[in-house]
């Protein structure tokens, strides 16, 4: 289990290391020029790194474009990556993306995290992708409860008005001229359809002072977006008619993503693919583009403001034809700004800098008092400041002495201000956020070329500060990325003044944090109840001093604490501590009368003197009355997480984790049952070539269970050398049952799978989470029995969720129900059905 804390520490170190490397390189180059007497302005220009040149070019391009385009997406990876990249990288448009959700209801192909933990990771991935696209991500924080088939279902969870309120607020705050989206109102995932509907409504509502009037304060005003574009859908769909109509009337924009970015040397489609690859939990993504690149990206104009300029025929961008009001246009698109970009191609950084200094002194982009569009002027002034910082070589960096803030302590930080340029700079003032103001005497006044000053800062964290770890618990409260520490250095250079910003985000964490505990939830069954259990408690010492402590585990029934052994953590050290104890459950094993325990098991990190606790974490405890056949040996091939391992352990069966090599060459005859985890043939592609061994195993009397796969990972495909993987044919379709409460019909109540050792009833399908199953078989051989049937409301029954057949002397079970989600969540019925699956064929008599 990867905690947000470890994650953020990693990315923090990484970004510092990357910047430090760049600064070091610049320093080395500078020293070289000093040594050879070449440290002139001209020398500095050639010394600028490729990355610095790209940054300066982008900063100058940004001065040519005062427009904002917003992309609206339901989940991370639904954004129009290529269009966003082109708008910013080719035209300098200010681009923002608003995501309805964090995508926490999806699957994770690279790690065990799901739900809120997955959402926290996806937020990071989205930030990384946005960096490549040159856009800014924002999240509405609506809950991703998993796949839904309709917008109505999405609105039942989100609340239509609440979702609209959030979307309208973001439009009013970010003030886009144009909105683009991949989502229409009828195609695909219910979240996509709902987001498509919201953006249409928000287009009008954001401009209407009667809608959400409480938002109209603190500088937030109504805002009229000029145009809304919806991307052509990939598959034929309900918007086909609208697309044909738009094509007929010429209300479309067609964008070629295969153009080469001369400054970066790659095509925009390649950059977009690079961004997409950052959404790693949603992969695997292609490594390269198809030959010939991507087809044109087409949008239809879905809505326009009454006063919007008409969209020209054959438009290449969504902004084409739009004009700023008179007076504003002259100020924000002046000749002076246009003249800056050609200076870059002269490779004369000094000329660029001089021109930028003059522009600032001449009041470029200074707002008129009369305008009601102040934020647009502010944006352009910030962009001018950024260009000045990039051209001048003034650089700032914040480095904290600790990776987290600890309540009741003070954290030191250094603010490095470097002058890699060739002109002396004056430091006028420094404004700080999250730091105490240092004494005036400590502030340097001037910064000579080549000089670096370091200002020591400190940040005091109150004893009562709110903890921001684990990130999964802060997905919706605005503290997902911790607290922000920032410094803004106001610099003047040859009479032009501009701020240079440095900021970092840092978590607030206890001195010693419990980052995870496994297993969690803690599930016990008839075979494991009231027996000693060993938990793995992962702790990390965030302090710069040694910590001596003990873990206490609190019993859920009588609250008796059990002390683990003493441990010592060096500064910043992380440890996995085994804590063995016997949680007490109510009831009697013989009668199966145990209750799910309402109180969780509580783990507390204490100081060694046991006088005070430092942090704590709870583990839910759940009882399932699940019996298994005697003397079972089970082998399992896990895919993405440890759910199977913990579930088999909860059932008390002797289980061994297998590798593909074990399947290929090992002795499988000692296992009565083998389980292939969900999407196992995708997670282990080599398994396909070893599949005949599994078929031989079944023929010889084994019991093979295969969990759900996607249709394109399973169905026979000669191009991928994939034969039929089941002993008798099973063809998967794309249908799902997304209602986790959909009634179950027992179509073969006498089937042993539903009767031994546990009598399975409707009760076992209660309390499920997210969904029933995905990619149900659409065709299967007559050898299979299908003892269950289920369907979403108003849909046809799906019978293939659980298939079982005899083959040779053994048995084969394929199931498209999402057992991994239910087992992981500790749903008691799922443990009972798993017990029956692994016991299948073992009944003596
Ligand atoms: Zn999506």
């Amino acid at each position: 289990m990867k905690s947000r804390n470890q994650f953020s520490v990693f990315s923090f170190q990484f970004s510092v290391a990357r910047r430090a490397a760049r600064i070091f390189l610049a320093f080395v180059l500078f020293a070289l020029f000093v040594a050879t007497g070449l440290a002139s302005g001209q020398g500095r220009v050639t010394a600028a790194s490729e990355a610095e040149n790209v940054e300066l070019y982008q900063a100058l391009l940004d001065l040519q474009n005062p427009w904002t385009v917003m992309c609206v997406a339901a989940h991370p990876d639904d954004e129009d990556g290529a269009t966003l990249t082109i708008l910013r990288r080719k035209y300098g448009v200010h681009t923002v993306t608003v995501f309805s959700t964090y995508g926490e209801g999806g699957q994770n192909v690279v790690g065990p995290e799901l739900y809120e933990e997955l959402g926290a990771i996806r937020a990071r991935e989205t930030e990384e992708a946005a960096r490549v696209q040159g856009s800014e991500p924002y999240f509405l924080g609506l809950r991703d409860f998993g796949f839904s088939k309709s917008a109505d279902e999405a609105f039942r969870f989100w609340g239509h008005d609440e979702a609209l309120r959030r979307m309208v607020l973001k439009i009013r705050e970010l003030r886009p001229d144009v909105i683009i989206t991949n989502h229409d109102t009828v195609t695909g995932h219910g979240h996509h359809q709902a987001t498509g509907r919201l953006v249409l409504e928000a287009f009008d509502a954001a401009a209407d002072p009667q809608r959400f009037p409480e938002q109209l304060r603190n500088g937030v005003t109504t805002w009229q977006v000029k145009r809304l574009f919806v991307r052509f859908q990939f598959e034929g769909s309900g918007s086909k008619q609208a697309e044909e109509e738009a094509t007929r009337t010429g209300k479309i924009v067609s964008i070629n993503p295969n153009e080469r970015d001369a400054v970066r040397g790659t095509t925009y489609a390649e950059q977009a693919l690079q961004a997409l690859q950052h959404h790693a939990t949603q992969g695997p993504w292609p490594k390269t583009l198809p030959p010939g690149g991507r087809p044109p990206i087409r949008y239809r104009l879905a809505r326009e403001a009454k006063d919007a300029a008409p969209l020209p025929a054959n438009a290449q961008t969504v902004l084409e034809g739009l004009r700023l009001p008179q007076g504003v246009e002259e100020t924000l698109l002046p000749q002076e700004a246009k003249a800056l970009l050609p200076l870059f191609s002269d490779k004369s950084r000094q000329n660029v800098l001089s021109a930028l200094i003059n522009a600032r002194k001449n009041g470029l982009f200074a707002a008129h008092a009369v305008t009601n569009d102040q934020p647009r002027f502010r944006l352009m002034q910030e962009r001018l400041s950024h260009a000045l910082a990039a051209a001048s070589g003034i650089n700032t960096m914040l480095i904290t002495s600790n990776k987290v803030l600890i309540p009741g302590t003070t954290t030191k930080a250094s603010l490095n201000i470097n002058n890699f340029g060739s002109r002396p700079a004056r430091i006028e003032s420094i404004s700080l956020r999250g730091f105490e103001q240092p004494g005036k005497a400590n502030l340097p006044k001037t910064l000579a070329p080549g000089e670096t000053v370091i200002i020591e800062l400190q940040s005091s964290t109150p004893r009562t500060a709110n903890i921001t770890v684990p990130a999964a618990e802060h997905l919706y409260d605005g503290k997902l990325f911790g607290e922000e520490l920032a410094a803004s250095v106001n610099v003047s250079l040859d009479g032009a003044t501009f701020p240079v910003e440095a900021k970092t985000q840092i978590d607030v964490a206890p001195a010693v944090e419990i980052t995870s505990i496994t297993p969690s939830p803690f599930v016990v069954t008839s075979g494991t109840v009231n027996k000693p259990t060993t938990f793995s408690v992962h702790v990390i010492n965030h302090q710069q001093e040694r910590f001596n402590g003990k873990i206490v585990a609190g019993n859920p029934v009588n609250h008796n604490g059990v002390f683990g052994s003493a441990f010592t953590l060096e500064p910043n050290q992380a440890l996995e501590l085994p804590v063995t104890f016997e949680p007490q459950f109510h009831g009697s094993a013989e009668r199966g009368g145990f209750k799910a325990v309402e109180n969780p098991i509580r783990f507390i990190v204490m100081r060694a003197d046991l006088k005070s606790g430092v942090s704590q974490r709870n583990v839910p405890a759940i009882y399932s009355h699940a019996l298994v056949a005697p003397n079972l040996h089970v082998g399992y091939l896990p895919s993405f997480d440890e759910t199977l391992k913990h579930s088999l352990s909860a059932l008390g069966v002797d289980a061994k984790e297998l590798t593909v090599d074990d399947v290929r060459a090992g002795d499988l005859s000692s296992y009565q049952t083998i389980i292939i985890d969900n999407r196992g043939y995708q997670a282990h592609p080599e398994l396909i070539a070893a599949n005949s061994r599994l078929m031989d195993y079944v023929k010889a009397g084994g019991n093979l269970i295969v969990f759900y796969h996607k249709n394109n990972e399973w169905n026979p495909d000669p191009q991928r050398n994939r034969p039929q993987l089941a002993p008798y044919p099973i063809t998967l379709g794309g249908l799902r049952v997304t209602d986790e409460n959909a009634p179950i019909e027992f179509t073969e109540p006498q089937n042993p799978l539903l009767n031994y050792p546990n009598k399975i009833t409707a009760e076992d399908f209660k309390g499920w989470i997210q969904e029933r199953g995905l990619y149900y078989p659409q065709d299967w051989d007559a050898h299979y029995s299908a003892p269950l049937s289920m369907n979403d409301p108003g849909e046809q029954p799906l019978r293939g969720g659980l298939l079982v057949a005899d083959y040779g002397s053994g048995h084969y079970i394929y199931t498209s129900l999402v057992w991994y989600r239910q087992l992981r969540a500790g749903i008691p019925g799922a443990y009972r059905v798993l017990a029956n699956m692994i016991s299948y064929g073992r009944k003596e008599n």
Side-chain angles (χ1 to χ4, degrees), residues 74-78 183 189 192:
H75 311 106
D77 98 343
D78 289 332
H183 308 313
H189 199 310
H192 294 189

Side-chain angles (χ1 to χ4, degrees), residues 160 186 200 249 344 376 580 599 610 714 726 730 735 767 781 813 828:
H160 169 274
V186 288
L200 274 170
T249 56
F344 177 82
R376 197 187 300 270
T580 302
N599 299 321
L610 300 178
W714 171 273
I730 294 175
L735 295 178
D781 188 271
I813 298 173

Side-chain angles (χ1 to χ4, degrees), residues 660-661 663-665 681 685-695:
V660 176
D661 277 339
V663 173
R664 188 171 23 227
Y681 290 95
E686 334 77 88
L687 185 61
I688 293 171
N691 197 49
S692 62
R693 290 268 297 157
L694 290 172
M695 297 303 108

Side-chain angles (χ1 to χ4, degrees), residues 465-527:
N466 289 324
I467 300 288
T468 65
V469 292
E473 287 173 21
H474 298 276
L475 206 50
Y476 311 113
D477 70 0
K479 295 292 179 199
L480 177 59
F481 301 114
E483 299 289 347
E484 187 172 276
L485 300 176
S488 176
V489 182
N490 221 18
V491 174
S492 75
L493 205 108
D494 291 348
T497 305
F498 55 94
V500 186
E501 320 263 350
K503 55 184 164 189
T504 185
Q505 282 187 297
I506 185 163
D507 273 317
V508 182
V512 176
E513 183 193 349
I514 301 176
T515 51
S516 69
I517 301 172
T518 51
S520 178
F522 174 57
V523 180
V524 287
T525 63
S526 323

